[in-house]
């Protein structure tokens, strides 16, 4: 069995490492720029960033409202679909011949069920042409 050996440390990238002091120096330089007011050449960039930020916020609010509306519509569609299927089943049940007979008997109408066999009426070709004219 092989021996466990410690991993070699990952070599750090060569280059300048920023320390806390260099960050403070950078902030201090920015302070010296703004000391006498904001330079006018930065104003268009700041306005662009502000407009971009407002656009980003508005877009996120719009997306959230669209998601809420989509969820609401999906639940409504599901409710309508269930209503449709339940009514379809009710209609299929109520249109059965036995159910129609029960409904007619309850209303005491003088309808009765035919006992004759069903048959098809077939037309000959020359009769079909005469009926179309």
């Amino acid at each position: 069995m092989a021996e466990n050996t410690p991993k070699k440390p990952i070599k750090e990238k060569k280059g300048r490492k920023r320390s806390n002091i260099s960050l403070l120096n950078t902030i201090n330089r920015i302070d010296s720029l703004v000391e006498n007011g904001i330079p006018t050449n930065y104003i268009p960039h700041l306005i662009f960033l502000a407009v971009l930020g407002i656009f980003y916020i508005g877009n996120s609010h719009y997306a959230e409202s669209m998601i809420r509306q989509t969820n609401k519509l999906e639940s409504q569609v599901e409710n309508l679909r269930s209503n449709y299927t339940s009514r379809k089943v009710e209609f299929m049940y109520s249109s059965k011949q036995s159910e129609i007979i029960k409904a007619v008997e309850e209303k005491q109408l003088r309808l009765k069920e035919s006992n004759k066999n069903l048959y098809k009426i077939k037309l000959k070709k020359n009769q079909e042409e005469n009926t179309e004219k």
Side-chain angles (χ1 to χ4, degrees):
M1 196 173 343
E3 288 185 33
N4 288 337
T5 56
K7 290 184 179 179
K8 295 179 182 177
I10 299 173
K11 292 182 180 178
E12 294 183 20
K13 293 181 181 178
K14 291 183 179 178
R16 249 178 20 163
K17 200 174 184 185
R18 288 190 98 166
S19 66
N20 291 336
I21 295 173
S22 66
L23 277 172
L24 289 174
N25 285 337
T26 306
I27 292 171
N28 200 10
R29 274 189 263 140
I30 293 173
D31 286 343
S32 66
L33 278 175
V34 185
E35 214 169 68
N36 297 326
I38 298 175
T40 56
N41 57 347
Y42 292 133
I43 292 177
H45 299 291
L46 292 175
I47 291 173
F48 174 73
L49 288 176
V51 169
L52 197 63
I54 291 171
F55 177 75
Y56 179 75
I57 292 169
N59 193 26
S60 64
H61 282 292
Y62 176 73
E64 288 175 5
S65 68
M66 290 302 292
I67 289 170
R68 273 189 245 112
Q69 185 179 8
T70 302
N71 291 338
K72 181 180 176 184
L73 290 174
E74 283 177 352
S75 67
Q76 287 179 352
V77 165
E78 189 61 35
N79 289 338
L80 290 173
R81 185 178 290 129
S82 64
N83 285 343
Y84 167 75
T85 54
S86 64
R87 289 185 184 195
K88 185 176 178 183
V89 167
E90 289 174 10
F91 174 73
M92 295 290 281
Y93 180 74
S94 65
S95 64
K96 288 169 61 175
Q97 186 175 0
S98 59
E99 293 301 315
I100 292 174
I101 291 172
K102 287 179 188 176
V104 167
E105 287 176 356
E106 287 176 6
K107 293 185 179 183
Q108 298 175 350
L109 297 174
R110 294 183 184 180
L111 295 177
K112 58 182 176 176
E113 189 176 356
S114 175
N115 294 331
K116 295 181 181 178
N117 291 334
L118 299 177
Y119 58 91
K120 279 187 179 178
I121 299 174
K122 294 184 180 179
L123 295 177
K124 295 180 182 175
K125 287 187 179 181
N126 59 1
Q127 288 179 341
E128 289 177 10
E129 292 173 1
N130 292 337
T131 56
E132 290 178 2
K133 292 180 183 178

